[in-house]
Amino acid sequence: MADVPTRRPYHIIIFGATGFTGQFVVEEVARCAAEGPGGTPLKWAVAGRSRQRLEEVLKQAAGRLSMPELRTDIEVIVADVSIEESLAIMCQQGAVILNCVGPYRFYGEPVVKACIENGAHYIDICGEPQFLERMQLQYHTKALDRGVYVIGSCGFDSIPADLGILYTQRQFKGTLTAVESFLKITSGPEGFSGHDATWQSAVYGFADSGSLRQLRKKFGYKPLPVVGAKVQK
């Protein structure tokens, strides 16, 4: 990645590591950390409001992955979205911040702002269009001036669909004009459950759909050109 600050203590900081998604991210980063750039291991840390809970997450990951070094080798950074100074200190230590703190409409902007102001690249798993497009409208120029990448939608809402379309496009002999995707979910013996932050994102997103339309008018989007036959719904 271009313009990554190489003199910072950590390549990656996982912010919100104690949350539902953050814990999965911690385990995945731990598995992949040895595959760093140039063959050198990734240096990473976890961040959040509670040092005790962060240490517990590392302890649990160490047990599940049989990697006892996680309990002692991974740094814990205390940072809170409501304390601007703590976010600045966190962002100054990492090249890339993986933000797992949602709903993003309530808690995302301070992290985006802190990353841009302190020269850290930002990645999240957001699927909330109001937040994503508002951040683009408000911070694109500032991020461009600082050479900072702000990348949203790196979660389940987006990545499988994007990769599926790219794969289909590469395998398709001709001009791909439309793709329909289907998702099948099967439950375990205990049934289904949903996370509160995901529920809040959906409820507030539908309730605030009018503001999204107003936001998109400010971009002046033009309709995408229709290629090939129109797909019947």
Side-chain angles (χ1 to χ4, degrees):
M1 181 180 289
D3 301 323
V4 171
T6 56
R7 297 180 182 177
R8 302 194 175 198
Y10 309 109
H11 294 104
I12 292 173
I13 296 175
I14 305 166
F15 182 50
T18 62
F20 176 80
T21 301
Q23 295 181 53
F24 288 103
V25 176
V26 166
E27 292 190 18
E28 189 63 23
V29 170
R31 292 188 190 99
C32 300
E35 305 170 9
T40 58
L42 284 172
K43 297 178 181 179
W44 60 285
V46 294
R49 291 179 296 176
S50 169
R51 178 175 292 275
Q52 182 179 351
R53 289 183 63 197
L54 289 166
E55 290 174 347
E56 184 63 28
V57 165
L58 290 173
K59 179 181 177 181
Q60 292 174 359
R64 282 195 288 264
L65 300 175
S66 299
M67 299 173 69
E69 66 274 12
L70 296 180
R71 300 180 61 177
T72 55
D73 294 354
I74 305 305
E75 182 67 30
V76 169
I77 300 171
V78 176
D80 190 319
V81 293
S82 65
I83 304 174
E84 186 176 339
E85 183 182 4
S86 72
L87 293 179
I89 293 171
M90 174 185 72
C91 293
Q92 289 163 10
Q93 297 182 71
V96 178
I97 306 299
L98 304 184
N99 184 18
C100 302
V101 180
Y104 291 94
R105 66 162 52 237
F106 299 131
Y107 306 117
E109 184 173 359
V111 189
V112 172
K113 184 173 180 285
C115 283
I116 293 171
E117 291 179 348
N118 295 279
H121 301 304
Y122 171 96
I123 297 175
D124 68 32
I125 57 167
C126 181
E128 305 167 47
Q130 289 99 328
F131 170 78
L132 294 165
E133 296 183 42
R134 186 166 62 85
M135 291 303 98
Q136 181 183 352
L137 188 65
Q138 293 182 205
Y139 292 100
H140 174 73
T141 301
K142 295 177 183 177
L144 199 62
D145 291 343
R146 296 297 302 270
V148 169
Y149 289 94
V150 178
I151 306 174
S153 301
C154 294
F156 178 76
D157 310 63
S158 312
I159 296 298
D162 289 348
L163 291 178
I165 290 174
L166 285 172
Y167 176 82
T168 304
Q169 185 180 38
R170 290 172 181 173
Q171 304 301 315
F172 194 79
K173 295 180 180 179
T175 302
L176 185 66
T177 61
V179 174
E180 289 188 64
S181 61
F182 300 87
L183 174 65
K184 182 179 180 180
I185 300 176
T186 56
S187 68
E190 296 182 359
F192 291 97
S193 66
H195 190 261
D196 180 61
T198 302
W199 171 252
Q200 288 190 51
S201 299
V203 169
Y204 283 99
F206 283 116
D208 197 28
S209 58
S211 67
L212 178 60
R213 288 191 292 271
Q214 295 299 319
L215 186 65
R216 287 176 172 171
K217 288 181 181 179
K218 295 180 181 179
F219 279 105
Y221 288 140
K222 296 181 180 179
L224 294 173
V226 177
V227 180
K230 187 176 181 179
V231 176
Q232 297 298 318
K233 292 184 179 180

